[in-house]
Amino acid sequence: MRKQEEMLIISQHEIAKGIFELVLKGDLVSTMLQAGQFVNVKTGDGGLILRRPISICNINHETSELTLIYRAEGAGTKVLSEKKAGDFVDILGPLGTGFDLDQVEVGAKVVLVGGGIGVPPMYETVQRLSKRGNKVIAVLGFASQEDVFYEEKFQEFAEVHVATMDGSHGFKGHVVQLIQEKGIDFDWVLGCGPHVMLHAIASEYGGSKKGFLSFEERMACGIGACYACICETKDGSRTRVCKEGPVYDMSEVKV
């Protein structure tokens, strides 16, 4: 159920270069039931009209706390990064369709692939899969060592491999190259990241593995009203990433 709330900032820290971890508290958390969804954040007033879509990283129903991780690169997110504990942020959510983990067989071996700012939604996902008894391998991709975050947090729930494009930390190359180099075997692949990464996953494993892909798109409204974030399926239909997505069955969507 979509709701809107002024949520209290519990903490905010820069955890990698230009990457911020924001912890919020509020009743809205009780409505967040699915890994892979997102919220729309009002970052400021005046000229900052459009909300910013940010993936949900962690949901704590016991404390009514929500963790968001985002990159401060535009005007809106830079304003957001300046907010402090005790401030309030206008949040709309939860939005979109997340990972249908009930489709993943209990005991199945799952590879979670996160690229850059596509890593955060995989953190809530890895916790849920681990609790279900799935064997999980997390493959996290970043540009360089200064961009890496949450490696140790993922290690609490999964076997973790990190790839950096410049080789400054972990494997040198992209995530699919790492999977191939390590000879990682799996039943399911769940990916979130830039389009080029999702394309590589679908091209390599779309015909042989089951999986879900979570798309990163520019979203104007975030609620399916403006049709600005369109994704085409293999049967030729067009869907809204903010509404029917951002998570799609890998076998059904064009990448």
Side-chain angles (χ1 to χ4, degrees), residues 12 21 36 52 79 92 132 139 166 188:
Q12 175 155 237
E21 178 192 69
R52 271 55 176 182
V79 168
L92 177 67
R132 293 174 76 248
V139 179
D166 64 1
W188 282 78

Short mmCIF file of all heavy atoms in Angstrom, two decimals, residues 12 21 36 52 79 92 132 139 166 188:
data_model
loop_
_atom_site.label_atom_id
_atom_site.label_comp_id
_atom_site.label_asym_id
_atom_site.label_seq_id
_atom_site.Cartn_x
_atom_site.Cartn_y
_atom_site.Cartn_z
N GLN A 12 22.90 9.70 8.97
CA GLN A 12 23.33 9.78 7.58
C GLN A 12 24.85 9.88 7.53
O GLN A 12 25.44 10.71 8.23
CB GLN A 12 22.71 10.97 6.84
CG GLN A 12 23.25 11.12 5.42
CD GLN A 12 22.31 11.84 4.46
OE1 GLN A 12 21.95 11.28 3.43
NE2 GLN A 12 21.94 13.07 4.78
N GLU A 21 24.63 6.66 3.13
CA GLU A 21 23.69 5.74 3.79
C GLU A 21 22.78 6.58 4.68
O GLU A 21 23.23 7.27 5.59
CB GLU A 21 24.46 4.73 4.64
CG GLU A 21 23.55 3.76 5.40
CD GLU A 21 24.32 2.97 6.43
OE1 GLU A 21 24.76 3.58 7.44
OE2 GLU A 21 24.49 1.75 6.24
N GLY A 36 13.41 -5.22 -3.06
CA GLY A 36 13.55 -4.77 -4.44
C GLY A 36 12.66 -3.60 -4.83
O GLY A 36 12.74 -3.11 -5.95
N ARG A 52 13.02 12.03 -6.10
CA ARG A 52 14.10 11.16 -6.56
C ARG A 52 13.81 9.72 -6.14
O ARG A 52 13.59 9.46 -4.95
CB ARG A 52 15.44 11.60 -5.98
CG ARG A 52 16.21 12.62 -6.80
CD ARG A 52 15.42 13.85 -7.12
NE ARG A 52 16.24 14.84 -7.84
CZ ARG A 52 15.79 16.05 -8.20
NH1 ARG A 52 14.54 16.39 -7.91
NH2 ARG A 52 16.57 16.89 -8.86
N VAL A 79 21.36 18.02 -2.15
CA VAL A 79 20.60 18.66 -1.06
C VAL A 79 20.26 17.63 0.01
O VAL A 79 20.40 17.88 1.21
CB VAL A 79 19.32 19.32 -1.61
CG1 VAL A 79 18.39 19.73 -0.46
CG2 VAL A 79 19.66 20.53 -2.46
N LEU A 92 7.57 8.93 -0.21
CA LEU A 92 6.40 8.30 -0.82
C LEU A 92 6.78 6.86 -1.17
O LEU A 92 7.77 6.62 -1.86
CB LEU A 92 5.99 9.05 -2.08
CG LEU A 92 4.82 8.46 -2.89
CD1 LEU A 92 3.52 8.56 -2.09
CD2 LEU A 92 4.67 9.20 -4.22
N ARG A 132 15.73 -18.10 4.29
CA ARG A 132 14.93 -19.17 3.68
C ARG A 132 15.74 -20.46 3.52
O ARG A 132 15.19 -21.49 3.15
CB ARG A 132 14.41 -18.73 2.31
CG ARG A 132 13.41 -17.62 2.35
CD ARG A 132 13.05 -17.14 0.95
NE ARG A 132 12.15 -18.08 0.27
CZ ARG A 132 12.46 -18.82 -0.78
NH1 ARG A 132 13.67 -18.79 -1.27
NH2 ARG A 132 11.57 -19.61 -1.34
N VAL A 139 27.84 -11.24 -5.91
CA VAL A 139 28.88 -10.72 -6.79
C VAL A 139 28.62 -9.22 -6.95
O VAL A 139 27.61 -8.82 -7.54
CB VAL A 139 28.86 -11.42 -8.16
CG1 VAL A 139 29.94 -10.84 -9.07
CG2 VAL A 139 29.07 -12.92 -7.99
N ASP A 166 38.99 -1.31 -12.50
CA ASP A 166 40.41 -0.99 -12.58
C ASP A 166 41.29 -1.98 -11.81
O ASP A 166 42.51 -1.84 -11.78
CB ASP A 166 40.67 0.45 -12.09
CG ASP A 166 40.34 0.64 -10.62
OD1 ASP A 166 39.92 -0.33 -9.95
OD2 ASP A 166 40.49 1.78 -10.13
N TRP A 188 19.71 -19.83 -9.87
CA TRP A 188 19.02 -18.57 -10.13
C TRP A 188 20.03 -17.42 -10.14
O TRP A 188 21.02 -17.44 -9.40
CB TRP A 188 18.00 -18.28 -9.03
CG TRP A 188 16.71 -19.03 -9.14
CD1 TRP A 188 16.47 -20.33 -8.79
CD2 TRP A 188 15.46 -18.52 -9.62
NE1 TRP A 188 15.16 -20.67 -9.02
CE2 TRP A 188 14.51 -19.57 -9.52
CE3 TRP A 188 15.05 -17.28 -10.11
CZ2 TRP A 188 13.19 -19.40 -9.91
CZ3 TRP A 188 13.73 -17.12 -10.49
CH2 TRP A 188 12.80 -18.18 -10.40
#
